[in-house]
Amino acid sequence: MIKDPEIFRYVDIPNFPKSTVRGHAGRLVFGTLKGKPCVCMQGRFHLYEGYAIQKITLPMRVFKLMGVQTMIMTNAAGGLNQDFKVGDVMIIKDHINMPGFAGANPLCGPNEDRFGVRFPCMSDAYDRELRRQALAVGAELGFSDFLKEGVYCVLGGPSFETIAECRMLHLLGADAVGMSTVHEVIVARHAGMRCFALSLISNKAVMDYESAERANHEEVLETGRQRAVQLEKLVSTLVGRVEQYNNHCC
Ligand SMILES: O=P(O)(O)O[C@@H]1C[C@H](O)[C@@H](CO)O1
Ligand SMILES: Nc1nc2[nH]cnc2c(=O)[nH]1
């Protein structure tokens, strides 16, 4: 997918965290996608790996310093919205930062004024124009049947949710639940980068005490393999249409 790739392993980059999750290659790939210069993370970092929240989000500041303007993220998530099916792709329109309620926010500590303000706004965290373009691209590609929009809730993991937790998150207005993305979006938005994110609904959150279904990482990986081609097509077509973005207002 990336043309003329230059690949760096995380383990070879000083102070960079290392990927510990099965399915996350742990490499930075530089190159071009549809003629646009880009850098891709093959594997991101999570609270459950034991990293400090500031370490998880360090790549966002590295990217900002490199001149990256737009962040596109993907994740796997459990579907809470009862209209969602396994294999659906949800464009994230907003998030619920559950660890943030308990004080785990990547911007805690002294503010880094060279990146952004002390109290950044999050009501426009997920760029409206990119979401609109993604829906249009999805329709052109014939993906409308499985392309949805919704609210992503992040938890710390690594345990999947209990039935009572899933019911609570659903009542709170979350459409999908996962263990990543939000911390990075907060740091990227703080630094004035534009964000777009997709959740692959890799499993249905279990809401019923009679259900025999059990969340498991194998199902998450398998759904990822099954939707990989369409996700690549959606993201690369969108990237091809992304215009220069300069946000000087942070
Ligand atoms: O794409 P991410 O890493 O958010 O995927 C979720 C969270 C865990 O890494 C994994 C659990 O199966 O899926
Ligand atoms: N927290 C959480 N993360 C996930 N990642 C993929 N599926 C799930 C899920 O059901 N819950």
Side-chain angles (χ1 to χ4, degrees), residues 57 60-61 64 71 95 105-122 124-125 182-195 245 247-250:
T57 51
M60 304 305 118
R61 288 190 167 166
K64 174 69 184 180
M71 294 286 317
H95 69 225
N105 186 302
L107 301 177
C108 283
N111 186 52
E112 286 282 354
D113 295 334
R114 67 196 159 124
F115 288 104
V117 296
R118 172 74 290 191
F119 301 111
C121 175
M122 285 295 143
D124 55 355
V182 168
H183 320 304
E184 291 136 306
V185 166
I186 290 171
V187 171
R189 289 299 299 145
H190 176 250
M193 289 188 275
R194 176 164 66 157
C195 291
Y245 175 73
N247 178 9
H248 298 298
C249 63
C250 57

Side-chain angles (χ1 to χ4, degrees), residues 18-101:
K18 293 159 193 48
S19 278
T20 67
V21 188
R22 194 153 45 92
H24 290 233
R27 308 188 312 173
L28 271 191
V29 183
F30 291 80
T32 59
L33 182 57
K34 301 276 172 167
K36 303 272 164 66
C38 65
V39 52
C40 293
M41 293 183 75
Q42 289 185 322
R44 304 208 311 275
F45 310 108
H46 308 79
L47 279 178
Y48 66 74
E49 292 174 88
Y51 289 120
I53 199 162
Q54 285 83 1
K55 192 92 177 174
I56 290 169
T57 51
L58 175 126
M60 304 305 118
R61 288 190 167 166
V62 172
F63 297 150
K64 174 69 184 180
L65 294 173
M66 285 175 175
V68 170
Q69 298 167 346
T70 302
M71 294 286 317
I72 296 183
M73 279 164 268
T74 61
N75 62 48
L80 295 160
N81 184 321
Q82 296 304 287
D83 295 334
F84 287 2
K85 295 185 291 301
V86 170
D88 281 352
V89 173
M90 182 185 88
I91 297 169
I92 301 183
K93 71 170 179 206
D94 202 353
H95 69 225
I96 298 175
N97 177 15
M98 216 33 114
F101 290 2

Side-chain angles (χ1 to χ4, degrees), residues 76 85-88 200-203 217-228 231:
K85 295 185 291 301
V86 170
D88 281 352
L200 171 63
I201 305 301
S202 55
N203 55 289
H217 192 52
E218 273 59 45
E219 184 182 9
V220 173
L221 294 176
E222 181 52 32
T223 313
R225 281 189 284 269
Q226 287 180 8
R227 267 287 180 251
L231 272 172

